[in-house]
Structures are given as C-alpha cells and as structure tokens.
Amino acid sequence: MTTLRFSAVQIAQNRQKIEVIRPSDKVSDYFGVNVFGKEAMRTHLSADMFKKASEAIENGAIISPEVADAVASAMRTWAMSKGATHYTHWFQPLTGAPAEKHDAFFDIESNGEVIEKFSGKSLVRQEPDASSFPSGGLRATFEARGYTAWDPSSPAFLMVIEDSITLCIPTVFVSYTGESLDYKTPLLKSLAAIDKAATAVCELFDRDVTRVSATLGPEQEYFLIDKALYLARPDLVMAGRTVFGHAPAKGQQLEDHYFGSIPSRVRNFMIDFETEAVKLGIPIRTRHNEVAPSQFECAPTFEEANLAVDHNSLLMDVMEKVAERHNFKVLFHEKPFAGLNGTGKHNNWSLVTNTGKNLLGPSSKAKENLQFLTFFVNTIKAVHQHAPLLRAAIASAGNDYRLGANEAPPAIISVFIGQELSAVLKELEENANVKVEKGDNLYMKLGIDKIPPILLDNTDRNRTSPFAFTGNKFEFRAVGGSANCASPMTVLNLIVAEQLTLFKQDVEAEMTKVDKREVAIVNVLRRYIKESKSIIFEGDNYSDEWVAEAEKRGLPNIKSTPISLKALISTEAIDLFERHHIMTHAEAEARYEVLLESYIKKVQIESRVMGDLASNHIIPVAIAYQNKLIENLKGLKELGIETDSTATVKEAIIQISKHISAIQKGVHEMTEARKAANNLGSTAEMALAYEQKVKDAFFEEIRYHVDKLELLVDDQDWPLAKYREILMIR
Ligand code: ADP
Ligand code: MG
C-alpha cells in the first residue's frame, strides 16, 4: 500500500499534459456536428417528410410510422456517413448514470444476405434487457420487462469513443404497463403540466402566448484528480469519496499555493471536453472559478429544460470519458473531501413563452411587471407550500454530507430575493385595499410601477441561499453535484404548475368582487405574499442563528435522506402527482423504494470500505509503527538514556494504542450494526438504521481516530495517499 501511495504520487508528478487540437478556432464551425439536429434532418429528409417530422417534434404530436421510418432511415444514413456502426437507445434509469444497449445497424435477411438496416420501429421502441435496473418492485408487480421509447424532442447524437462511433437516441424507459422507471418520463410530464398552467395564467396578460417552456442552465462543479492517486485510494474508487484523510494544515487555504493559473494539464482537459461537448451541441461555457483546490466548475448556456437535463447527463459522461485520456478522474460526489467545499449543481430555472418572453424577467414596463410579479410570487408561494417535496427531490446519501455542512446551502429550504424585490413585495403587501379611481395611474396606485429595470446586476447576491432569485431566474443551489437534474426540475415544474392553477382560480374568484382584473391579480398576490413570506430569508444561511430562526418560522430542516424522502409518498404529494399526471401512486411508491435502496447501498458500501481500510490497511501500519517506537524506547532504556524525548515517545505509544483500540471497537460494533440493519423488515426501516445506527453512530467517530493516527504515524509508513497529495495537480 505504501508503495502504491508513493508510486502514485510519483506517477502523478511526472505526468505530461496531453496535447489537444481544437477542430477550428471558431466554435460555430463545429457546434453540433455530432447531433442529428434540424440541419441534418433537412439534408437527409425529403421536404415533405422534413415538414411532417419537424411539426410533430415541435408540437409534441405522435409521429406516424411512415414518418418514423423516414426519420430512422435519414438518421442511419447521416450516422453512417460519420462512421457510426451501432445505434443505441440512450436513457436515464433511476441509478443515475445514462444507460445504453448497443445494436449494430446491419441485419441478416432470411436469405442470408447482410444489409444495413434501421427501421422506424427500432427508432421508436426497444426492449432492453433491463432487468438489472432498479424498479422499486414495479416490474415484478406489473410486468417482467420494460421498454424504451423515443423522445423526439431531444435530438439523437453520436457518441465517439476512440474508434467506435454510436448513434444514441434519447428515450424514456417505462415498464410494459406504462409505469415510469426513469428520470425523463416524469420530467416530460411535468413540462406538460407547467406549460398548461403557465399558459393559462399568461392569458390574463397576453393572448399571443400559446406555449410556455421551462428553461434550465445547470452549473456543474467537480473535482479533478490524478488517476493514479485515485486508484491509490480504495475509498474514492468504491464510494466516490474519501472516508479518511486529515485536512492539510492549512485546509482550504491550500488554494494560496494554487490560485492564479490553471495547470496546463487541466486546461487541456477542459479544452478537450469542451470541444467534445460543443460537437454534441452542448452550449458549454467553462469558468475556472475553483473554490477548493482541484475544484472547478463549468456551465452551459441555458436551454429548454428537457434538453438541458439530457445535456447535463451527457456532459458528465463526456467529462468522465475525456478525463481518461488525460489520466484524470472527475469526481461529481457531493462531498469527496472533508473540510473542503462540497460539490453542487446550481439549477438555474425560469419560464419562457413561445413569444420569447422570459416570465421571470422584470421589465421596465409596469404592465409587464405585473406579469413578472405574478410568476415571481407564485414561485415563492409554491416553494413555501411544498418545501418538503423540493427537499426530497435533492435528497441523496452524498448530498446529506453537503447540505448543512456550514459551507453549502442548508437542508432548510428558503428563498432569497434581494433587497430591491424585498422592498417591492413589502410595498405590495402593505399597500392594502387600494381604491383605483378613473384616471388614476393604475400601476402606480397598485404599487407595482417601481421595479428597478435592471435587477440583473443586483449586487447583493446571496451565495448561501438554497433557492435564490438572481435577476431573471431562480437558482436552485441545493442540488447535489452528482444528481440528475430531472428530479429537482420535475418537482419544481410540478409545484409551480399547481400553484399557477390555484392562482388562476383565485383570480377568477376575486374578479367577482372587484371590477378591474389587475386589481384582482394584485389582491391575490398580496394575500400570497402574506401567506408565504416566512420562506424568504436574506441573511447568512450558514449561520446557527438561521437554524434557530427557521425553526421559529416553522420551516422544516430535514437533514436526513430517509426521512426527507417520505415527502414523496405523503398523501399531499401523491395527490399532486396524480392530479397533474406526473406519476401514479404506484410509481411514486416505487421511486421511493428505489431511492431508499440506493441510499442503503451507498451507506453500506462506505461502511464496508471504512471497515476494510481501517482493519487491513490502517491498523497493521499503526501497530508496526508502534512496535518501532517500542523498540526505540527499549533501546534507549538499555543505554540508560532517559530524556524528555523518551517521555514523548512513550506518550506517542500510548496515544497510538488508544486510537487503535477505538478503531477496532468502532469497526466491530459498526459491523454488528450493519448486520442488525440488514435484518430489518422494510426498506424504510433499513435506510433509517443505516443512517442512524451505522453512519451517524460510527463514521465520524472512526474517522476521528484514523485521522489522528495519520498525524502520529511516520509519513513514510502511512498507506493512504494524503489530501495534500491528492489535491495537488502538477
Ligand atoms: P453564476 O450564478 O455563477 O453567476 P451565471 O450568471 O453565469 O452564473 O449563469 C448561470 C446559469 O444561468 C447559466 O447556465 C445561464 O445560462 C443560466 N441562465 C441565465 N438565464 C436563464 C434563464 N432565463 N433560464 C434558465 N437559466 C438561465
Ligand atoms: Mg450560480
């Protein structure tokens, strides 16, 4: 092990950068070249078929078998002209990572002739042998297998891995009886729900609006570490995070060593993955604002939410693959290193109309601002009303280490809106029951004429808020780095759709009491502000004061994944899912089961890795070192030397044995706790036991003693690569 550590350090130190060549200086020359987008479709389809296909895609209509055949054939011609030999349906099962099952384009006819073939049927539907994907018992109950079905709204693309090129077709993944087994299906349904509800509300303001789409721009954080060092840490390999490791003496300030320029190895990796991403039509814009050492971030320009979700999943995949080429490993885990910033994925979300208007963009025109305020206040109200569901949407074993770790948004869901908008809402709220007379300036009277036109560069952006309004969009920051954005986006779309539906009803009821529609709208908004203002918080979300204050306000603070996931199957949530056709009761239950199982597995793996590393790597080394000290002490005694240093050596021996016994005891008891947990009847009980009786009871305790040993044992003998080694890229 020690040799593995030192040879890894040496390998990492001697690494040379890998040269990369951009296809062209102009991104526009190669943007989307690996995507079967509109242009490729136009080139490879007859004018008539192109028209039919684009119309169906744009309106989300059912595609006829004839059109599907034409599209499939065009796709195959296009893909083969670019060297593709295989195709696959590409889907996002609840395990998180995208799944693929590759099929060759060729087929053998009954006469033995080999022909190149890809039919509309294979495009539209496939039956992957997917029995190993998690289904929460759904497939067992309903039907043995599931199938994948084409999502024409997300274009097919080519996955290029060295010499192998595969046509990937984004699909949903559902059971035979139609239950969703993936992330995309409920997301698409939530997008339909928000479209319907938001379009209905837009009718109050602008009759030209016939469709509303959600937009998403996910900022992706990640750590980048050398592959050799990654392989020298079994915990990183198996659990994605370090279960041990003493923070370097200077902790996060390690960045002083580092700040300034990005090592050329990293820069080349970035150029390389950006290039691949751009070819896939992902509008990536990398930023290099690393916070912790070896931590980086990239963000695309926002897109329609379904596409943005696919692109984020694809981007993570591309980053991992390109990292291989550069001898790096990308870590998306929410908390790979104790004492350093965790990894998040800010989900920037908004709504845009078919006329191109951003519904969360304040305007300089008072009239449009009433529309802005409507969507703004309704979103806040939705978050207030459904905070537990939103919290459940981002719950994972990894994110539990990050949320509330005093450097990431806490598990308390609150909304930050900034000084100006706080003032606007306050005024709106206090300006109760205005009387609008003939000849009055309606908007001035209503107190909604004062929205500063350029909120975009509001300076008081609160970096600590889990859900912040940032000028023309909300930014959901509590999402974990490894998460599939579909989960938080589905819930956000759903709860806002629900709220907008209620709003429309409330306005209609109010209109029977007042004669002006604007007054009715403002009256309803005013009520909403009163009802939901406890969710608004402008202060430091990392502070202890906020935890106390939130409790006073009655805001939930759910730190635990097993507990927070219960919100997915509350009567209220099921009702919401069913009413908006997002999921059936059975689907919600199944999802809950899958997420609990995944939680259990993650904690179980971490616990095993911890036990294994402690017993087989750390303790033997600590004992060997302790023996060295004992020999040394004996030698000194024989020579009759008794100085301060002999006392220090003796003390070190005592300390080491204390830590060793604490670790042995901890590992033993933790193993027993695991056994007990495994014997529990339900997944929910098991998850809770893994959390409380395994993780909470032992992880920090064992780690404390191992990390102390790291400081006591001779550096030359320590088996695990240390933080300072892992986090330094040359
Ligand atoms: P930061 O939060 O670090 O300041 P940026 O201002 O660069 O980040 O933007 C963050 C993300 O927000 C980008 O991906 C951007 O495209 C996205 N964004 C901007 N406007 C919208 C919008 N209307 N809807 C969704 N995302 C948006
Ligand atoms: Mg951000």
Side-chain angles (χ1 to χ4, degrees), residues 321-334:
K321 284 174 176 145
V322 171
E324 285 287 321
R325 276 212 282 273
H326 294 261
N327 300 303
F328 281 129
K329 204 76 201 176
V330 186
L331 307 179
F332 293 116
H333 192 286
E334 285 73 14

Side-chain angles (χ1 to χ4, degrees), residues 602-624:
K602 291 212 166 115
V603 179
Q604 192 175 51
I605 290 171
E606 266 181 49
S607 165
R608 285 189 185 141
V609 170
M610 215 171 202
D612 174 53
L613 282 182
S615 310
N616 303 325
H617 301 274
I618 308 292
I619 290 179
V621 164
I623 291 176

Side-chain angles (χ1 to χ4, degrees), residues 219 346 348 461 463 475 477:
E219 299 163 60
H346 297 175
N348 293 271
R461 289 174 60 165
R463 288 273 156 202
E475 191 170 336
R477 301 207 183 104

Side-chain angles (χ1 to χ4, degrees), residues 284-568:
I284 194 84
R285 298 180 295 125
T286 305
R287 275 162 304 154
H288 306 153
N289 53 337
E290 66 275 27
V291 184
S294 294
Q295 192 184 34
F296 306 94
E297 180 183 311
C298 62
T301 301
F302 69 94
E303 300 174 281
E304 186 281 320
N306 176 42
L307 191 58
V309 168
D310 282 359
H311 277 167
N312 179 252
S313 290
L314 187 53
L315 178 69
M316 289 164 78
D317 201 32
V318 166
M319 286 170 76
E320 283 175 341
K321 284 174 176 145
V322 171
E324 285 287 321
R325 276 212 282 273
H326 294 261
N327 300 303
F328 281 129
K329 204 76 201 176
V330 186
L331 307 179
F332 293 116
H333 192 286
E334 285 73 14
K335 192 72 185 173
F337 303 103
L340 295 182
N341 269 7
T343 299
K345 173 146 52 192
H346 297 175
N347 277 214
N348 293 271
W349 172 92
S350 189
L351 296 170
V352 69
T353 65
N354 59 306
T355 56
K357 178 148 184 49
N358 176 2
L359 292 171
L360 288 172
S363 155
S364 51
K365 295 190 202 116
K367 188 169 181 244
E368 288 183 0
N369 269 336
L370 186 55
Q371 184 175 6
F372 157 71
L373 278 176
T374 294
F375 284 92
F376 179 68
V377 171
N378 272 289
T379 306
I380 295 171
K381 175 117 168 78
V383 172
H384 177 250
Q385 194 70 30
H386 303 284
L389 195 54
L390 212 49
R391 168 68 184 91
I394 51 159
S396 71
N399 218 11
D400 280 1
Y401 291 112
R402 175 175 165 259
L403 299 182
N406 288 337
E407 29 119 316
I412 308 162
I413 301 285
S414 67
V415 182
F416 168 84
I417 60 172
Q419 241 171 31
E420 288 103 335
L421 283 168
S422 294
V424 170
L425 292 198
K426 189 154 184 277
E427 171 134 9
L428 192 56
E429 185 192 345
E430 285 169 0
N431 235 342
N433 301 320
V434 279
K435 269 227 144 21
V436 184
E437 314 273 341
K438 243 198 153 80
D440 274 345
N441 178 334
L442 178 70
Y443 295 97
M444 201 187 283
K445 242 352 221 299
L446 291 173
I448 51 168
D449 59 326
K450 297 202 189 75
I451 299 184
I454 309 166
L455 277 168
L456 269 172
D457 80 350
N458 59 347
T459 43
D460 58 345
R461 289 174 60 165
N462 183 327
R463 288 273 156 202
T464 68
S465 176
F467 198 94
F469 185 74
T470 47
N472 58 354
K473 65 199 189 268
F474 278 101
E475 191 170 336
F476 192 9
R477 301 207 183 104
V479 184
S482 71
N484 187 309
C485 302
S487 172
M489 288 299 99
T490 301
V491 168
L492 188 53
N493 292 332
L494 167 65
I495 63 176
V496 175
E498 163 76 358
Q499 183 48 51
L500 291 172
T501 311
L502 295 174
F503 171 76
K504 186 92 193 248
Q505 289 164 8
D506 287 344
V507 169
E508 274 156 16
E510 187 70 18
M511 287 206 346
T512 61
K513 295 182 222 154
V514 297
D515 46 354
K516 269 209 150 339
R517 176 193 285 167
E518 286 82 356
V519 179
I521 292 172
V522 168
N523 286 350
V524 173
L525 291 182
R526 179 174 297 132
R527 199 177 85 218
Y528 285 0
I529 295 168
K530 282 203 177 80
E531 286 167 359
S532 53
K533 66 179 174 188
S534 67
I535 197 87
I536 296 174
F537 180 63
E538 304 289 299
D540 179 1
N541 287 257
Y542 300 172
S543 68
D544 294 336
E545 291 77 28
W546 170 230
V547 175
E549 163 75 17
E551 196 178 338
K552 251 191 258 157
R553 295 190 190 184
L555 300 179
N557 180 6
I558 311 164
K559 292 187 177 164
S560 140
T561 286
I563 293 172
S564 114
L565 287 176
K566 281 189 190 153
L568 286 180

Side-chain angles (χ1 to χ4, degrees), residues 148-161:
T148 51
W150 181 31
D151 167 20
S153 63
S154 181
F157 56 88
L158 296 177
M159 180 70 85
V160 182
I161 304 161

Side-chain angles (χ1 to χ4, degrees), residues 638-703:
E638 263 169 35
L639 296 174
I641 301 171
E642 188 79 40
T643 64
D644 284 356
S645 114
T646 42
T648 315
V649 174
K650 209 166 167 182
E651 180 54 28
I653 295 169
I654 295 168
Q655 286 307 319
I656 290 173
S657 50
K658 276 189 186 158
H659 292 306
I660 291 175
S661 2
I663 294 168
Q664 278 167 332
K665 182 164 172 283
V667 170
H668 173 73
E669 287 173 5
M670 179 170 74
T671 312
E672 292 305 310
R674 275 207 316 264
K675 284 188 198 153
N678 292 342
N679 285 328
L680 290 170
S682 74
T683 332
E685 284 172 298
M686 233 170 117
L688 213 54
Y690 263 98
E691 173 176 54
Q692 294 171 353
K693 307 263 166 66
V694 179
K695 180 182 121 208
D696 293 351
F698 296 105
F699 282 15
E700 269 188 37
E701 167 73 12
I702 295 173
R703 179 175 193 140

